[in-house]
Amino acid sequence: MNKMIQESRFRSSFRRRAVQAAAFWFFRLAALVNGLALCGIVYFVVKNGWRAISWTFLTQPPADSMTQGGILPCIIGTLALAIGAILVALPIGVASAIYLNEYARPGKLLRVIRLGISNLAGVPSVVFGLFGLAFFVVILKMGTSILAGSLTLAAMSLPVIIGATEEALKSVPDTYREASLGLGATKWQTVYRVVLPAALPGILTGTILSISRAAGETAPIMFTGAVFFSPQLPNSIFDEVMALPYHIYVLATAGTEIEKTRHLQYGTAIVLITLVLGMNLIAILYRSKLRRNR
Amino acid sequence: MIHKREAAEKIMYYLFTAIGCAAVLIVLLIMVFLFKEGLPIFKVVSVKDMIFGNFWYPTSDPADFGIFPLIMASVWVTLLSALLSVPLGVMTAIYLAEIASKRFAEFVKPTVELLAALPSVVIGFFGMVLVAPFLQETFDLPTGLNLFNASLMLAFMSIPTICSISEDAIHSVPLALKEASLALGATHFETIVRVIIPSSLSGICTAIILGMCRAIGETMVVLMVAGGAAMVPASIFNPVRPMPASIAAEMGEAPVGSDHYHALFAIGIVLFIFTLIFNVVADQITHRFRQTGEASL
């Protein structure tokens, strides 16, 4: 009798362990799918496009109605849009985060602001495009320009920057603040001289991440900053530009010779991926170094 | 001197408060402009006819502004992509938070982040050039650009969102709960299913909703791989035209101030309302069912 119970116990514990092992393999598999998807997409693009990459491709404007030549205007346009967006979004985002983490007290206003930020983060990218078109391009009469495109991208990057900065500010120990206040510094002096410098690396990572995000977006700039083709490089922030993501879209869908420009499409995609994932990788590695040092 | 410092402090306080409201201001501005440019269409077509109208021919004469097929396309694409992204995202989160060794997790996490960073236009391009011909051949379809392809690509865009938010929720389950379960003789897997998932369920739900929010608003992928036919899908291999795709594809040709222009903004309103609802629901779940330690079980 006793032996039977023991045996059934043994069996049930064996079964339970087998179930666990099987289930864990499923979980592992799920995690693996992510890696496979990322590697698969990158490998596919690189495999088909590396031949298109050359010095000419990176430093020349498109030629022969965009079936030949390079993508220099697109690279410059994307950089201009992304940097413009950060110049606007960074000060506002950092100041918002400082308010949320250092100044705000729990209450209705804070709840409203938090709801606003999470809603802003959830607004579809194409709706940002509509907003930019109606507000910056039409009402403020900026036209399709780097300025309008950058401002639209800035509105979109704001929640990311706020989130990253807040996290960086939170990681500054309260003892720093207390020490500074205890020495007689005011709140602002404490924030400016103690908290911000300590949080700077974290803010920097967040900034790099949001630049890369802004560089990769297409929908917000489709009606506000980017154009199909522009014969010359932009001279001022009121010029319209070509941009890498929009260029891929245009060549892949709207051209009359889609098959003939395939190599250009892959090439442009490689440049965009390198730019975006490269910046992300730098930010991620930098962040993990920061965490290890802490 | 003291007065001056105090005054400066006050100024700083109000300055930061004002800037802190920037995000709210932008959301309000977005709403104002969507409604300002979108509402005039309802002089031409009634709200009911627009939302439930079956025909979207904005450029023919007389024009039809029925967006029901576009709404259904968005809904189906989102639901189908959730079918893939929810299990994959949540399972990856559980794997990262509970099962993977710390070292391995440190390697997998950046992969998920990089997947999130992949520009949507590249994913759309991948879907167009590789997945579409593959689907077309394998299932012998008239076109590989369809509902299924779009859902598949969208799933990979929402997995990172679902995964990272779920992971945070799982990490915040108190260790004592896990230890108690293990001490009672439950295996690690039983602990995950019966203790850890139930006690982080609100966070996981928030993650799923935000992931779906990302999928319904995603533009480039559906613009490039959904096929673009404005009809209510009858099968998952039908080409469809979700709302963001319609806006992005047609805004370039719609003259500013025309009926078509206003109609596209009206679609933007519908899309905005969808994401607003998703966000408010997610916010409610987080606040109402907040995990408060042991009391949450």
Side-chain angles (χ1 to χ4, degrees), chain A residues 16-17 19-20 23-24 26-31 33-35 37-42 44-45 91-96 98-99 103-105 109 111-128 130-131 133-135 138-139 155 158 162 184-189 191 209 212-213 216-219 222-223 244-246 248-249 252-253 262 265-266 269 272-273 276-277 280-281 284 287-288 292, chain B residues 5-6 8-9 12-13 16-24 26-27 29-31 33-34 36-37 87-88 90-92 94-96 99 104 106 108 110-123 125-126 128-130 153 156 159-160 163 185-190 192 197 213-214 216-220 223-224 243-244 247-249 251-252 256 261 264-265 267-269 271-272 275-276 279-280 283-284 287:
Chain A
R16 284 164 63 198
R17 257 184 241 154
V19 166
Q20 162 156 328
F24 279 13
F26 260 107
F27 286 116
R28 233 164 252 143
L29 220 60
V33 169
N34 294 301
L38 177 72
C39 298
I41 294 175
V42 173
F44 170 75
V45 173
I92 300 178
V94 171
S96 296
I98 290 177
Y99 171 73
Y103 285 95
R105 288 187 195 89
L109 181 64
R111 182 84 202 275
V112 169
I113 292 179
R114 292 237 176 259
L115 197 65
I117 293 170
S118 67
N119 273 314
L120 195 62
V123 170
S125 51
V126 72
V127 172
F128 277 109
L130 288 179
F131 163 67
L133 173 66
F135 187 44
V138 176
I139 299 273
L158 200 56
I162 294 177
T186 62
K187 183 117 191 168
W188 166 239
Q189 286 168 332
V191 169
L209 286 177
S212 80
R213 191 137 178 251
E217 276 293 341
T218 322
M222 276 174 104
F223 337 122
L244 289 168
Y246 191 55
I248 298 176
Y249 167 68
T253 59
R262 270 293 182 241
Q265 299 163 25
Y266 284 115
L272 183 63
I273 290 182
V276 170
L277 293 194
N280 264 275
L281 213 55
I284 290 172
R287 191 186 52 198
S288 75
R292 229 169 297 138
Chain B
R5 273 177 63 171
E6 267 174 11
E9 277 303 292
M12 279 335 244
Y13 174 78
F16 278 115
T17 311
I19 299 177
C21 296
V24 181
I26 294 175
V27 174
L29 276 176
I30 289 176
M31 274 157 66
F33 279 98
L34 279 183
K36 178 178 163 287
E37 300 289 341
L88 278 175
V90 174
M91 278 167 86
T92 308
I94 292 172
Y95 178 73
L96 285 176
I99 302 167
F104 196 62
E106 244 174 63
V108 177
T111 326
V112 177
E113 278 180 71
L114 288 180
L115 193 63
L118 219 50
S120 51
V121 72
V122 172
I123 296 184
F125 181 62
F126 178 77
M128 262 180 92
V129 190
L130 186 76
M153 295 298 111
F156 285 103
I159 284 176
C163 178
T187 62
H188 191 184
F189 177 61
E190 286 161 345
I192 290 173
I197 293 182
C213 187
R214 170 131 204 232
I216 203 168
E218 177 47 50
T219 313
M220 292 322 285
L223 179 59
M224 293 170 85
M243 292 183 279
I247 300 174
M251 192 44 103
V256 173
Y261 176 87
L264 292 176
F265 271 89
I267 299 178
I269 297 177
L271 197 56
F272 183 76
T275 51
L276 198 67
N279 269 297
V280 170
D283 185 70
Q284 284 296 319
H287 280 270

Side-chain angles (χ1 to χ4, degrees), chain A residues 80-86 88 145-155 221 224-225:
Chain A
L81 287 167
I83 292 170
I86 283 308
V88 178
S145 61
I146 296 180
L147 185 61
S150 293
L151 288 173
T152 312
L153 285 175
I221 56 169
T224 57

Side-chain angles (χ1 to χ4, degrees), chain B residues 177-198:
Chain B
L177 289 179
K178 188 179 162 187
E179 282 165 350
S181 166
L182 290 173
L184 286 171
T187 62
H188 191 184
F189 177 61
E190 286 161 345
T191 306
I192 290 173
V193 173
R194 307 231 180 115
V195 177
I196 290 173
I197 293 182

Side-chain angles (χ1 to χ4, degrees), chain A residues 52 54 56-64 66-72 247 263-264:
Chain A
S54 66
T56 330
F57 185 68
L58 296 176
T59 55
Q60 293 295 318
D64 284 348
M66 296 208 284
T67 57
Q68 294 292 322
I71 52 167
L72 181 68
H247 194 62
H263 64 288
L264 295 179

